[in-house]
Amino acid sequence: MDDQRAYLDSPQLKLCNGTRFVGFSHLFKALTEKQIITFKDENLDRGERISNALLQTIRESYVSVVIFSKNYACSTWCLEELVTILQCNKEMGQVVLPVFYEIDPTEVQELTGSYGNALMNHRKEFGDCSVESWSHALKKVGAMAGFVSWDTKPESKLIEEIVNHI
C-alpha cells in the first residue's frame, strides 16, 4: 500500500461557506500516518493552475473521499470536481467514499433543502446543461454507501472508521 493515493474532496478547503468539518486536519493526518498519499488543495504550488492540477490529482487517485456538508452544493468548483470523481469511478473503477457531515444523505440524493436551493440558484447563472450534470453526480454519489456523521460519535471515531475503511 506504499503507493495508494486518496483525494479528499472538501468544500471547506475551497472556501465554500459550508459547515466546517473540524476533523478534516485529523483525517488528513491519520491517512498520512497510514502511509496513504493524501492530497488537498494546499499541496498545490503557488501559480499552478488549480483546475488542471486538481482534476489530474483526482484522476490519479485510488479513492476519493467526498465530504458533503450543508452548503457543499453552493460551490460550483466542488460540483465540477464531483462530476470528475464520478467519471473516474465509472471509467477507471476509482473508489468513492461519501461522508455526510451534519447532513441527511437523502438531502443529497433527492436534491432537497440546501442542495435543491443551491442548484436552483446555479441554474440561473450556468443554465440547464451544467446543473443537470451536477445533479446527476450528486444523486449518484449521494446514493453510494458511505459514512453519516450523526451515526458515529465522537468525531474521532468517525475519522478512525473512515481511515480503517480506506
Side-chain angles (χ1 to χ4, degrees):
M1 289 200 202
D2 298 332
D3 201 23
Q4 284 191 348
R5 292 173 162 257
Y7 175 72
L8 299 176
D9 183 26
S10 174
Q12 301 81 277
L13 295 178
K14 295 172 194 70
L15 304 177
C16 180
N17 294 325
T19 303
R20 288 190 65 81
F21 175 45
V22 283
F24 186 84
S25 62
H26 298 292
L27 177 58
F28 182 84
K29 182 179 182 221
L31 290 168
T32 304
E33 287 174 352
K34 286 268 194 169
Q35 298 181 341
I36 297 173
I37 300 165
T38 308
F39 179 88
K40 57 184 179 178
D41 294 36
E42 295 168 2
N43 293 15
L44 294 174
D45 294 329
R46 287 192 185 272
E48 190 174 359
R49 289 200 54 201
I50 293 176
S51 59
N52 290 336
L54 271 176
L55 297 177
Q56 185 61 31
T57 299
I58 293 168
R59 289 184 192 103
E60 293 173 353
S61 296
Y62 170 75
V63 60
S64 286
V65 179
V66 182
I67 303 172
F68 290 112
S69 61
K70 181 181 178 188
N71 291 324
Y72 179 94
C74 291
S75 169
T76 56
W77 184 244
C78 289
L79 295 171
E80 286 294 333
E81 290 174 3
L82 188 64
V83 169
T84 301
I85 289 168
L86 185 60
Q87 240 177 349
C88 292
N89 171 260
K90 182 179 178 182
E91 295 170 7
M92 298 180 285
Q94 183 183 93
V95 176
V96 180
L97 183 60
V99 177
F100 301 93
Y101 184 70
E102 296 184 349
I103 189 162
D104 188 323
T106 59
E107 192 170 323
V108 180
Q109 296 162 10
E110 298 173 5
L111 308 178
T112 58
S114 63
Y115 282 72
N117 292 336
L119 291 170
M120 186 173 59
N121 290 333
H122 292 323
R123 192 175 303 277
K124 296 172 190 169
E125 186 175 347
F126 298 99
D128 290 338
C129 189
S130 292
V131 172
E132 290 307 314
S133 176
W134 298 334
S135 297
H136 174 75
L138 284 166
K139 287 178 182 179
K140 284 292 220 191
V141 176
M144 293 179 179
F147 293 91
V148 180
S149 67
W150 291 326
D151 293 346
T152 309
K153 296 288 182 186
E155 231 170 62
S156 59
K157 184 162 176 48
L158 173 65
I159 290 167
E160 182 181 328
E161 288 183 12
I162 294 169
V163 171
N164 288 339
H165 185 82
I166 294 172

